[in-house]
Amino acid sequence: MSRFSHTIDSHVYQFASLKELLAKATPPRSGDVLAGVAAASARERVAAQLALAEVPLALFLNEALVPYEDDEVTRLIFDSHERAAFAPISHLCVGDFRDWLLDDATDTAMLARVAAGITPEMAAAVSKLMRLQDLVLVARKCKVVTAFRNTLGLEGGLSTRLQPNHPTDNATGIAASILDGLLLGSGDAVIGINPATDNVAQVVSLLHLLDAVIDQYQIPTQSCVLTHITNTIEAIRRGAPVDLVFQSVAGTQAANRSFGIDLSLLAEGQAAALSLGRGTVGNNVMYFETGQGSALSAGAHHGMDQQTCEARAYAVARAYRPLLVNSVVGFIGPEYLYDGKQIMRAGLEDHFCAKLLGLPMGCDVCYTNHAEADQDDMDALLTMLGVAGCNFIMGVPGADDIMLGYQSTSFHDALYARRVLGLRPAPEFAAWLARMQITDAQGLLRTALAPAFQAALHRLGSQV
């Protein structure tokens, strides 16, 4: 008899390892089928979920999915685990943990106290037993507040990354997108550019452009050029005005190696940014992006399902106290998340797991044009994430990233979510919007642009 099993209608379903059990219990997604780790049928999946519900949480502290001696992410997970934080839930199995999380008596303060005692694998396991509404309810109770030039993650907030990408990094085009976003109340999480030309000289040029805009208008926000961390470290050495250090991260050492990083390099980038002291209300200087399927696409998933791999990436992120983390949920493509239904499930899982682990989680609510998804699917996911207390989303002109070639959320989508759910930007940014007469006393956009802002637009235009 295998270590894990469950019987349905006299058929005994057996699972040889904790890794296999987690994979078979995962709700359907194309990436797990591609990897050959998915359940063969809905009945096998249910059997795996029922078996997983009986697994003690303590087992995850005794059994590594990737060997400790072979993987620095595994070592980070085990070495940073806080036994005292784990104590209140140490007697629970995965199914009981689900019930505890959903209990009204388990409040925000309790979730914050146990966060450091929850491993990524525990979070992934319990998410596999949850419906979408369960993921939303628990994530909503998790509050993670971070700060740099403004304060993000406060109760009732929904922030946006203003994403003014341009296919040729044209300064005028980037500036026009930035101003468009600011006029529509976007940009409090970060004004962040994915550079089309990824070299240090171009990165430095874009950083100076962003710094000039923020300084010109005295905007209480932060900037970031989403280049490789080695480029950002070199830009800091050259005296560039770096606010946040960006890097994509994954859940295994081998996957991170495919990105050209390791944990020591992340620590070096964090230290370099902290040395600049550019934050005014806080010193969270890191920005991480993740996404289900990245480890599989690198051939570095070690036989794990993609959602468990993704949760392990959050252990990497939380080690460096980031200002921002987001899952680019539908960006990799239908090979990993086939359609709108799978993208929605993955987005809510990612948000839930990261928040449970104590991360300031956002989401790029997105899809590629060859996926079986459309903007209606994104509207549904956006709304559920807003209800779930997502820290931030993307603001892309027209929801169409013309440089990266994928579909995301627009400035207007963020306005919709804020209005329908009664949410607002970071308080410092909201005050700036009011001071610049972009919004009125109720926080709604004004129909006419204030003369002071019109003059500022002309000044910036002449400078560009």
Side-chain angles (χ1 to χ4, degrees), residues 217-400:
Y217 298 156
Q218 291 297 291
I219 309 170
T221 191
Q222 36 283 328
S223 69
C224 185
V225 175
L226 283 72
T227 185
H228 193 271
I229 189 171
T230 53
N231 288 341
T232 305
I233 292 171
E234 178 58 28
I236 291 172
R237 290 182 182 135
R238 296 185 187 186
V242 172
D243 291 341
L244 305 183
V245 174
F246 168 82
Q247 184 56 51
S248 295
V249 295
T252 69
Q253 178 177 328
N256 283 324
R257 189 184 300 122
S258 76
F259 292 152
I261 64 166
D262 58 22
L263 300 185
S264 64
L265 185 58
L266 297 179
E268 181 184 349
Q270 181 189 36
L274 286 170
S275 72
L276 300 180
R278 290 174 60 83
T280 55
V281 298
N283 63 355
N284 299 112
V285 297
M286 303 301 285
Y287 176 15
F288 296 116
E289 282 190 345
T290 68
Q292 289 192 28
S294 58
L296 175 58
S297 67
H301 63 296
H302 295 277
M304 288 184 288
D305 66 273
Q306 66 183 37
Q307 192 251 336
T308 300
C309 280
E310 170 72 5
R312 285 169 54 95
Y314 306 150
V316 175
R318 74 174 172 179
Y320 302 96
R321 301 187 302 108
L323 180 76
L324 305 166
V325 182
N326 72 266
S327 164
V328 193
V329 65
F331 181 75
I332 302 182
E335 299 85 357
Y336 305 96
L337 296 169
Y338 178 71
D339 57 15
K341 183 179 178 68
Q342 292 188 9
I343 291 171
M344 178 178 291
R345 173 84 200 184
L348 293 171
E349 286 171 347
D350 295 350
H351 179 251
F352 162 86
C353 288
K355 282 295 200 52
L356 196 60
L357 294 168
L359 282 176
M361 193 65 173
C363 185
D364 191 343
V365 181
C366 64
Y367 65 100
T368 57
N369 288 318
H370 62 309
E372 290 295 321
D374 59 27
Q375 213 63 40
D376 285 342
D377 296 311
M378 300 305 103
D379 287 349
L381 176 55
L382 168 61
T383 303
M384 294 193 77
L385 284 168
V387 174
C390 188
N391 280 38
F392 72 103
I393 60 169
M394 303 300 120
V396 178
D400 182 8

Side-chain angles (χ1 to χ4, degrees), residues 37-57:
V37 301
S41 66
R43 182 169 290 204
E44 185 184 27
R45 183 176 303 110
V46 169
Q49 290 170 338
L50 290 168
L52 180 60
E54 301 300 321
V55 173
L57 291 181

Side-chain angles (χ1 to χ4, degrees), residues 122-205:
M122 293 176 196
V126 75
S127 75
K128 298 174 193 298
L129 306 184
M130 290 182 154
R131 293 170 58 185
L132 297 187
Q133 62 177 255
D134 301 333
L135 298 171
V136 169
L137 191 155
V138 176
R140 184 176 178 85
K141 293 194 286 186
C142 299
K143 303 298 178 188
V144 184
V145 178
T146 56
F148 188 76
R149 287 202 192 95
N150 57 29
T151 310
L152 304 171
L154 295 169
E155 176 68 31
L158 177 63
S159 298
T160 58
R161 169 188 160 192
L162 202 171
Q163 185 170 310
N165 296 343
H166 192 279
T168 63
D169 287 340
N170 178 271
T172 303
I174 290 170
S177 293
I178 292 172
L179 294 173
D180 186 26
L182 292 172
L183 290 171
L184 290 169
S186 185
D188 55 329
V190 64
I191 304 176
I193 300 174
N194 298 90
T197 307
D198 200 14
N199 60 61
V200 176
Q202 183 65 9
V203 167
V204 170
S205 176

